[in-house]
Amino acid sequence: AAALNAITLLHMVLAGAFMHLYLGSLRLSRPSRFLGAVVYMLSGVAAWRIFSGDIPRMATYACVPLVFYLVEEIACGRRRIGAALLGGVVIACPLLAGEPQNFVYLSLALAAYAAFRLTTIARRRPPGAGVRATALLLAALFLFGAGFASVQALPTLENFADSNRPGLTADFASLGSIPPVGLVSLLTPRFFGDELHGSWGEAELQAREFYPHAAGLYTGFFTVVLAIVALVTRRDRWHVRFFAVFAGIVLWLALGKFGYLYRAIAYVPLARSFRDIENINVLLPMSASVLAAVGFESYVDPDQPPHVWSRVLRGTALAVGLGMILVALTILLERSQGLELLALPIVRHAIAESAAFAGIAWACSALLVWTRAKHRAAPAWLIVLALAFLVADLLYSAGPLVAAGTDIRPMAQPDSVTRYLLRDRSLYRVSGFYDRGPVFGVQDIGGEPSLLLARYQEYTDVLQGYPLDHFTRPEGPHGVVLHAGFDSPLLALLNVKYSILSGRDLASVRIADPSRLVQVNPRTVIYRHPRMFPRALASWGYRVLPDPAAVLRELRRPDYDPGASILLEQQPALPPGLAATPGGPTAPARLRVTSYEDNRVVVQARFPRPGFLVLNDLYYPGWQAEVDGRPTTVYRANYLFRAVAVPAGSHEIRFVYRDRMALLGAAVALLTGLSGITAWLVERGRSERAVTDRRRVPPRRGPRPRRSRSGQT
């Protein structure tokens, strides 16, 4: 737990440091750079990542300003191939962290930024004067990024092809759309609630469009004021124009289905499989930080005319007024649909609290602007006061002080549930433990929410009673969330021994034998399943059912015995002596799992006659098997699992995961790195030789001056 907290703090510091570095490349003053860095490291997006425990996204969020800095350095001619190589590594970071969606968003944002910078450079320089070399370096940066990312991209594409995403409807891409009223979160951070105290939208309305993730839009009230200052005073500067338009595009896309523009994503084959469009908010603090830093530069500039500040105050009033209009329109719209929001006490409280916050923040901001208008140059005390107000606002509204009195460590510390589970040292799985499992070495069947295998979703759908063609149900927040099927043979095949249930779950789940419930704490019970098949089992026959739906129907029969025969979908090529009819020998097989790792499983087996060893783990391309060191075929058995044919006698069966796509991606990444390092060394050598040659060339001497007879030159 201490390590997780330290990693979070480290990436907050890195986020601020990299933003400070980027703002320095724009030639801004130190106070402005400091303010922009504070806005970035304490934004609502950063707070949301911290509270949700999303360290990979927090890590990639911290690196965004670094790659913008490298693009800027290349565009200005201060850096060359070394910056392109490092930029490629940073671009690949989101995908290496398992975030393909953020990888796409960052790549598109950088491509737009690079194109804009090339355009501005081409306008200032003569045609072809260094523009072509700059364009090649920026293209190399993106090529390096694609090469380094291939080590994760190729296996991800393979996983995507086998996942449930291609089978989902285009509405799946609209999940997480922020309604227009969510833009109020630019001015007040907890209109909907927050990650710690819940969201009145989800709790009262049961609507995904009303949830606290909109709080990720908040970057400080005074930040909005400073952005207005930048637009009023410095709109002629290229980075103000770019980031103002960029912020508008990000906000429009974050609206998802409510913005209509994003609906076109339904026609893009791969992108339509992304969910939670609000993840694009990770790019908004970049614009907010730059605009706020430029606005603060104008705030301390003594040459600003007095009428500027009245325009800023009018712009701020307009922003607050638009927020009030959005709230009023939302209340009227919900009323027309039969829901009176103001009748809900929690909504009235949220509106009143947000209005009070916006009023106080507006008054403080107006006072700072009015005070600045009274002075020709901003005094030091006013600069310090403005910085202190912004920092206090972010710390209280979007930063760690929201979590005051909340201990976020118990997720990584033992509790009554983990102590109960850890008393059982056998090999089993659980349901309902979710992402705490890896911390304690407990395997949960919730699955990976990023890319859930299509077969696994079909299996768990049928397990819970859904029809097999009911393939539009997206996975739950943690992958698969079970609400039924606790006594199904399909669950027993998954090697599930315990299910963790909360008091709220007990009201909705269906359990045949309540006497098997164990109360481990006042809010949690554990259900001990009466039937569970072991992780590794022996089977003595097989049947071939080419129709996968027929396999699932057969598996659901209460009298199905996987030890008698397994169900295959294709005719196997078997060694002599292995029968195709069920019926086992008088002596049972002896199986012992001697090693169980992520990419390697070893089973010691003694078979009295030829049969199958079934490992109740997912069948997936890349898994290979050996019997006594000799390769053997891995069959898809019982719709979802792995099986190998085993002769009679004592054997060691080894399952090893070797992903060809991952190896291919690693080779591409290695070649990319070697090419980049070679190019960097060649360029460095040329630069050193050029410097040496300049030192060796003697200075040019002109003709000796003539002297007259009088001695004058």
Side-chain angles (χ1 to χ4, degrees), residues 159-165 168 429-434 443-468 470-471 473-476 478-482 484-485 489-499 535 548 552 555 569 616-621 636-642:
N159 194 358
F160 175 81
D162 291 327
S163 73
N164 63 346
R165 295 294 176 93
L168 297 173
R429 293 191 179 97
V430 301
S431 67
F433 202 56
Y434 304 129
Q443 296 186 14
D444 187 272
I445 65 163
E448 168 56 42
S450 298
L451 285 177
L452 199 65
L453 288 181
R455 285 228 169 195
Y456 189 64
Q457 178 176 338
E458 294 166 359
Y459 188 94
T460 54
D461 279 355
V462 173
L463 186 155
Q464 299 184 77
Y466 293 99
L468 188 57
H470 186 82
F471 197 57
R473 181 178 69 93
E475 69 269 22
H478 299 279
V480 174
V481 180
L482 296 183
L490 295 175
L491 192 64
L493 284 171
L494 286 174
N495 188 228
V496 176
K497 194 171 186 178
Y498 304 105
S499 290
R535 187 71 56 88
L552 282 175
L555 292 175
E569 297 173 31
N616 286 322
D617 283 350
L618 292 181
Y619 178 92
Y620 188 78
R636 191 200 306 267
N638 295 344
Y639 194 80
L640 201 62
F641 307 108
R642 303 198 292 267

Side-chain angles (χ1 to χ4, degrees), residues 249-264:
I249 294 174
V250 168
L251 289 174
W252 189 273
L253 291 176
L255 296 176
K257 63 182 180 181
F258 300 102
Y260 294 95
L261 177 64
Y262 188 73
R263 297 189 179 191

